[in-house]
Amino acid sequence: MDYPFPRHPGFDPPAPFAGLRDTDPACPVSLRHGQRSHLLTRYADVRAVLRDHERFGSDPGTPGFPQLRPVVDRKAAPGSFLVTDPPEHTRYRRMLTGEFTVRRMAALEPHVERITRDRLTALRTGPRPADLVTGFALPVPSDVICLLLGVPVADQEFFSTRSRAHLNRALAAEQVQAALDELHAYLADLVRTRRAEPRDDLVSRLVTDPTLTDEEAVGMTVLLLVGGHETTANSIALSVLALLRDRTRWDALVADPRLVDNAVEELLRYLSPVHQGVVRAVRADTEVADRRLGPGDGVIASLFAANRDPAQFPDPDHLDLRRRRAKRHLAFGTGVHQCIGHLLARLEMRVALRALVTDLPDLRLAVPFEDVEFTFDAPIYGLRALPVTW
């Protein structure tokens, strides 16, 4: 069985997930580079593996590490905390933890609201129909991450195109590497500039640490820049489409915007934007879903399948904006590698959806749902465009 499974337009995971969850929850699969790995589809197994960094490693240099990208990762790049294990991972995360605390997000919220308001005003005063992706969903988190990192907003198009190419698993390895090289060069220049002339931004605070090399600072900034806007931008656009597909859900938020907070958690569970899963290399003999695994084996923990597991979420294929315990979803992962920016992503989604249902209550699709083009060729899926009017 080849993995990733093909996707079809819509929000539901590929059909094989449900059957595998019942019959073979640690199913052997074949990957693009000829590797074999094991696909995990049950919530309990996915959660347990992601929380066990002793037996399941994140470093691509570990034998058995599943390679899903066009570019084969032979080792963790400096600063790439997403694919490092403790203690190096702990060192990197410690440098960033203070940037994404509850207190920091509370201080940032007025800025997120201002950015959202400005982008929504531009959308409302522009032509109709409008593309919600390019006019709102993408620029809001892009503006926010630019503000945090100290990246000029004028350079958004540059880093947005490179980051999308970096994530595009349909491109040739040479194209992906070229985009990544250009992004690294841009951020290396930013790091050098901030070392010489520090400002009140995250990169300036990072480079004050004398133990952090320029290479490590660039690697960390790449992850923050790419992850800081791609996932949230796609989540906002997908959420609006899911709400507008059944008008009763959109109208429920218009009638009571206080429902937005729980709706965001349920949308994250239901949509699971990181749809191809999180990979780990087995580092010690263990057992997962009655299958014996050992060093040299790899696993793919499907967040999508876990978030649609009926053992954890009753009637999981139903989008229930009032679902109790929706926040137990694994859309941001879990354990030491849980997405460091999850509080920021949640804040941006809440502010964006609340602004839309409050200021554009008559928002509606400008094309039939069947004509909306999904993009599935990246680890984070989304929409190519979302034509709307009001």
Side-chain angles (χ1 to χ4, degrees), residues 77-81 92 95-96 149 151 166 179-195 202-203 206-207 212-226:
S80 296
F81 55 88
Y92 291 142
M95 295 178 188
L96 292 169
L149 295 178
V151 174
H166 165 49
L180 189 56
D181 289 345
E182 291 179 351
L183 197 55
H184 270 260
Y186 174 90
L187 293 172
D189 183 63
L190 178 68
V191 165
R192 286 191 295 267
T193 301
R194 291 297 181 267
R195 281 200 190 277
L202 189 153
V203 174
L206 261 185
V207 298
L212 192 70
T213 67
D214 280 8
E215 273 192 313
E216 290 174 321
V218 169
M220 295 171 77
T221 307
V222 166
L223 289 181
L224 294 172
L225 187 60
V226 175

Side-chain angles (χ1 to χ4, degrees), residues 141-381:
S142 294
D143 286 354
V144 173
I145 201 65
C146 281
L147 175 68
L148 278 177
L149 295 178
V151 174
V153 174
D155 294 340
Q156 271 189 11
E157 184 177 355
F158 172 87
F159 74 72
S160 181
T161 55
R162 272 63 177 184
S163 68
R164 290 197 165 189
H166 165 49
L167 294 173
N168 191 336
R169 288 177 175 167
L171 295 180
E174 295 78 11
Q175 294 172 285
V176 174
Q177 190 61 56
L180 189 56
D181 289 345
E182 291 179 351
L183 197 55
H184 270 260
Y186 174 90
L187 293 172
D189 183 63
L190 178 68
V191 165
R192 286 191 295 267
T193 301
R194 291 297 181 267
R195 281 200 190 277
E197 301 174 12
R199 299 181 183 178
D200 183 19
D201 57 46
L202 189 153
V203 174
S204 296
R205 289 189 289 274
L206 261 185
V207 298
T208 60
D209 190 315
T211 69
L212 192 70
T213 67
D214 280 8
E215 273 192 313
E216 290 174 321
V218 169
M220 295 171 77
T221 307
V222 166
L223 289 181
L224 294 172
L225 187 60
V226 175
H229 75 283
E230 286 291 345
T231 309
T232 309
N234 288 326
S235 296
I236 291 171
L238 288 167
S239 294
V240 172
L241 180 60
L243 293 167
L244 291 178
R245 188 182 189 187
D246 182 344
R247 190 75 199 187
T248 61
R249 295 190 179 101
W250 180 266
D251 290 342
L253 296 185
V254 170
D256 186 2
R258 292 174 299 179
L259 291 175
V260 165
D261 288 9
N262 198 71
V264 164
E265 300 301 331
E266 171 66 352
L267 285 161
L268 286 165
R269 181 201 69 82
Y270 179 76
L271 298 169
S272 297
V274 183
H275 68 135
Q276 292 180 353
V278 178
V279 298
R280 295 287 186 266
V282 181
R283 303 203 298 185
D285 290 338
T286 187
E287 186 174 295
V288 180
D290 297 325
R291 189 179 291 275
R292 297 296 304 174
L293 301 175
D297 290 322
V299 296
I300 304 166
S302 174
L303 307 181
F304 212 150
N307 284 337
R308 296 292 188 97
D309 188 343
Q312 181 66 29
F313 302 103
D315 195 9
D317 295 328
H318 175 63
L319 177 60
D320 180 1
L321 303 185
R322 293 179 171 83
R323 182 183 295 273
R324 296 180 60 193
R325 300 176 180 174
K327 202 171 184 177
R328 291 187 176 183
H329 65 78
L330 299 176
F332 294 110
T334 186
V336 298
H337 281 282
Q338 183 182 37
C339 173
I340 196 167
H342 71 95
L343 292 178
L344 176 60
R346 286 174 156 119
L347 169 62
E348 291 171 330
M349 288 184 67
R350 289 196 302 266
V351 171
L353 290 181
R354 194 173 290 116
L356 287 169
V357 299
T358 301
D359 296 350
L360 281 179
D362 298 325
L363 189 73
R364 61 187 184 277
L365 294 180
V367 297
F369 176 83
E370 292 72 22
D371 291 345
V372 177
E373 188 175 356
F374 286 74
T375 59
F376 296 126
D377 50 10
I380 306 160
Y381 79 104

